[in-house]
Amino acid sequence: MPKTADFLAHLNPSQRRAVEHYCGPLLVVAGAGSGKTRALTYRIANLVLTHRVDPENILAVTFTNKAAREMKERIEKLFAEREAQSKHGKPLEALPEHEQTRLKSFVYKTITKDLWIGTFHALCSRILRFDIEKFRHPGGYSWNRNFSIFDESDAQALVKDIVINQLNLDDKKFDPRSVRYAISNAKNQGWSPADLEREQPNFRGRTIANVYAEYQKALAANNALDFDDLILIPVQLFRQNEQVLAYWHKRFRHILVDEYQDTNRTQYDLIRLLVTNGEETENFKDWEYRSVFVVGDADQSIYSFRAADFRILLEFQDDFGDGLPDDDTRTMVKLEENYRSTANILEAANELIENNTERIDKVLRATRGAGESIFLFRAEDETDEARFVIDQIRQLEQNNPELHWGSFAILYRTNAQSRAFEEFLGRYGIPYNIVGGLRFYDRKEIKDVLGYLRAIANPQDTVSLKRVINTPRRGIGKTTIDRLESAARDLDRTLWEVLTDETLVSTLAGRSAKAVSGFTNTIQTWQAKLEDTPPAEIVQGVLEDSGYVADLKAQGTNEADDRLQNVQELYNAVLQFEEENEGATLLMFLANASLASDLDNTKEDQRQVSLMTLHSSKGLEFPVVFLVGVEQGLFPNFRSMEDPASLEEERRLCYVGITRAKERLFISYARERRLYGTREPAAPSLFLAELPKELLLTSAVGALPKKLATPIREVKAKRAQESLLNTHADDWKVGDRVVHKAYGAGQVTHIFGAGNKICLAIKFPGQGQKIIDPKITTLQRVI
């Protein structure tokens, strides 16, 4: 077998130092495009090959299911390649296909099968399938291992029912969506309803805490968990049961966490408990044959709205590490060599992010040439901006054989900005894909079929039973369902227990009794086959027995045909899941489906232009990127202008957008934009003034590298843009009175930033408060 030195020879020094780390804590600060996935993959391989770590003692946490699949595939290929060289003296691809398959199967059975690699939610779901019955909820609730996982739409529907029907609250004052968000945020902080009430003792806080308590009671009654519970309950279980924690602490000796800057406090608590067996971090010293290896970049933390806290990453050195300065520490490695973008793109990103204060200092270094300058375009309005972007895409695709439609991405701050681009793409017949659109598993027909499967796997799931009991229509009306559900409450029984009681059904369901019994029989038939029947066979049988497919065929509409195709695609997904997971069960598939996200299905090599928000672009890369709508109040948004921490997150979002580009980056903003039905003047974003002006072009650009050349039309706003790049800020004070050519007279109320990098909040009578960069917009001072 080849030596470890040969095995790691192609890693750069920083990657190699991270990979060869064995025991103890290590923080890997991994800049964009710096090969962090390679470092994680090779670290796992090195633990197994060099240190003989049993794969079942390794836990690797990824941000998405897609990343988990990619990591498993890389590990499998790496080991299969070594097996090919060791046994045949040839590269894997040089072997006959049947031998490649045999080697990959061997690697799966001996290594990758036992590795725990997945998202926090997926991994915690697996833990709970083992141990949830040992959990003691303070409210006395309990769950069994057949629990359902409610997705966000299920959770919101349940909260809405509690707000409106159970507690009779005013849904305008207590909007179910905002209440659900408040409950989710509380869970991500590790708060119980009582904790939430203590934190927010006002009327609104007490009311939301009451909804939270009823919501948790309803989840337990359905034997269901929401996404937040999947992490919160293991944390609570570990804290209350030392034996359970000790088992998992002993099991996972080497823990790796990707995208560590995106963890929230509950996820951090989970990792800390597993690493230290419940000891405080400052007291934990038992690092023999144990490690915690986290990879992240504070500069790419953009998910605070999901309760992500990048300070967890910043605090790693104090929590687990040696706390020494960057040059002296042995518990931190920086990956600063970038293999993705040209030098000019990286220099712009570096200069932008240096304006943030809360970060670990690092500078991305290019491994490629300088590349083209960044092209900056000022459009007249959103239509002119869309026309410009689509013109460039058409010309680049036509003039460069190596580019296809999938080489281009249009990134924006809000989903509403996509409309103008979609219109022009459609006009020219250019295929496109909106990333982050309706998730496959959120489509009605898919949720219907999953409702049947969840009811079979977990008959306590009343939400699923109610969804499918009359789908397709079988003559069981709302009145009948309400009557049966009321009986369940009165008798303190589940809805399923009432449905399977023939006496109650015949008494309460009236003319619908036969239909109710038929539905119940269908569910019971497949419940009896649950343990020994492959998931795909169950799906096929349920689709037939329920009449769902027959109903879609009978409708005979284009919409019904589309839904039928989606149902067939679900069946394909179940088959694929069986092929990829040995011993797959229906419960395993349902968990996988519940935890899937739209990001998991993003394909960067598809032949379609990608349109997406900047948040959705994280982790992706494209040869050509258009960063659009870079205007004050839009990006950064108005809300962030009064909060320095929020403004820094907006800047990180801009940094993420810039570093998605490999070859070319176009940035655009408009002189005016239609907002809420009226046209409003727009000002360039303060972020534009933070980019190095020598790297920006505002007129015709030169040749692109490797035949990526195309003529770009002259920009009418060149003179105005040069003014943007060369003006300097004056000395402003709160209280200064000014005159703006569009808004009239106003007064400065706030000043943000310092030195030449400031912006002003100015209140204009009748116009409201506007955020303005004085370097960009002409203001006349009134003395």
Side-chain angles (χ1 to χ4, degrees), residues 135 137-138 179-202 205-206 208-213 215-216 219 226 228-229 231-233 235-236 239 264-267 269 307 309:
F135 174 59
H137 190 277
V179 172
R180 163 66 188 137
Y181 179 82
I183 293 171
S184 177
N185 187 61
K187 289 187 177 184
N188 286 324
Q189 299 292 332
W191 295 347
S192 66
D195 295 329
L196 177 58
E197 188 170 349
R198 276 194 296 272
E199 290 290 328
Q200 299 176 17
N202 54 29
R206 294 196 305 273
I208 292 176
N210 190 24
V211 177
Y212 180 5
Y215 171 68
Q216 208 61 29
L219 284 174
D226 64 20
D228 304 314
D229 287 327
I231 301 168
L232 178 59
I233 287 182
V235 168
Q236 294 174 334
R239 284 174 170 158
N264 61 41
R265 287 292 163 182
T266 310
Q267 292 165 343
D269 286 342
D309 188 350

Side-chain angles (χ1 to χ4, degrees), residues 323-568:
L324 297 176
D326 291 5
D327 292 338
D328 302 323
T329 182
R330 302 184 67 178
T331 56
M332 180 171 68
V333 174
K334 296 180 183 179
L335 304 185
E336 297 175 292
E337 291 186 54
N338 177 282
Y339 297 92
R340 176 188 300 158
S341 306
T342 62
N344 285 341
I345 292 171
L346 291 183
E347 186 176 343
N350 285 333
E351 288 214 18
L352 173 79
I353 203 64
E354 282 180 3
N355 291 279
N356 273 10
T357 58
E358 292 190 283
R359 60 190 297 262
I360 295 174
D361 186 50
K362 73 175 191 319
V363 177
L364 289 178
R365 299 189 299 272
T367 58
R368 306 178 55 198
E372 289 297 305
S373 297
I374 297 165
F375 191 80
L376 186 62
F377 175 69
R378 189 187 82 159
E380 290 301 306
D381 56 22
E382 70 274 10
T383 301
D384 189 37
E385 179 182 50
R387 184 186 296 111
F388 166 78
V389 169
I390 306 312
D391 280 351
Q392 302 316 303
I393 290 175
R394 292 174 65 212
Q395 291 180 51
L396 285 165
E397 193 273 342
Q398 183 178 356
N399 296 337
N400 301 278
E402 62 271 43
L403 293 182
H404 54 79
W405 298 128
S407 304
F408 305 94
I410 303 172
L411 311 183
Y412 36 75
R413 182 62 181 84
T414 65
N415 276 309
Q417 291 171 255
S418 73
R419 180 191 58 80
F421 300 101
E422 290 186 69
E423 287 181 2
F424 276 95
L425 288 164
R427 183 178 303 175
Y428 291 109
I430 299 174
Y432 66 91
N433 174 48
I434 298 181
V435 177
L438 184 63
R439 199 173 65 110
F440 176 77
Y441 288 103
D442 284 338
R443 292 169 177 151
K444 178 188 181 301
E445 58 276 13
I446 302 305
K447 288 184 71 67
D448 287 344
V449 179
L450 292 178
Y452 273 102
L453 300 179
R454 281 169 32 172
I456 290 167
N458 173 26
Q460 289 175 251
D461 186 347
T462 298
V463 170
S464 294
L465 282 171
K466 289 168 64 178
R467 181 182 187 95
V468 299
I469 191 172
N470 197 41
T471 304
R473 295 185 183 278
R474 49 175 65 93
I476 305 173
K478 182 178 183 301
T479 301
T480 299
I481 297 171
D482 288 346
R483 198 179 294 139
L484 293 167
E485 198 170 15
S486 177
R489 283 194 297 270
D490 292 344
L491 297 171
D492 194 24
R493 297 167 73 178
T494 66
L495 178 60
W496 177 248
E497 288 172 328
V498 170
L499 292 176
T500 52
D501 188 318
E502 293 183 8
T503 303
L504 278 173
V505 168
S506 61
T507 303
L508 299 173
R511 288 178 296 178
S512 303
K514 185 177 180 181
V516 171
S517 296
F519 167 75
T520 304
N521 289 338
T522 298
I523 300 297
Q524 287 177 319
T525 296
W526 290 102
Q527 281 177 340
K529 300 178 181 180
L530 187 61
E531 296 299 325
D532 55 5
T533 307
E537 188 176 326
I538 296 176
V539 172
Q540 188 175 40
V542 168
L543 288 172
E544 292 176 3
D545 292 354
S546 66
Y548 197 89
V549 167
D551 181 68
L552 288 176
K553 288 179 179 178
Q555 290 178 33
T557 64
N558 290 335
E559 181 184 359
D561 288 344
D562 288 343
R563 290 185 170 179
L564 186 58
Q565 288 181 8
N566 286 333
V567 169
Q568 290 169 340

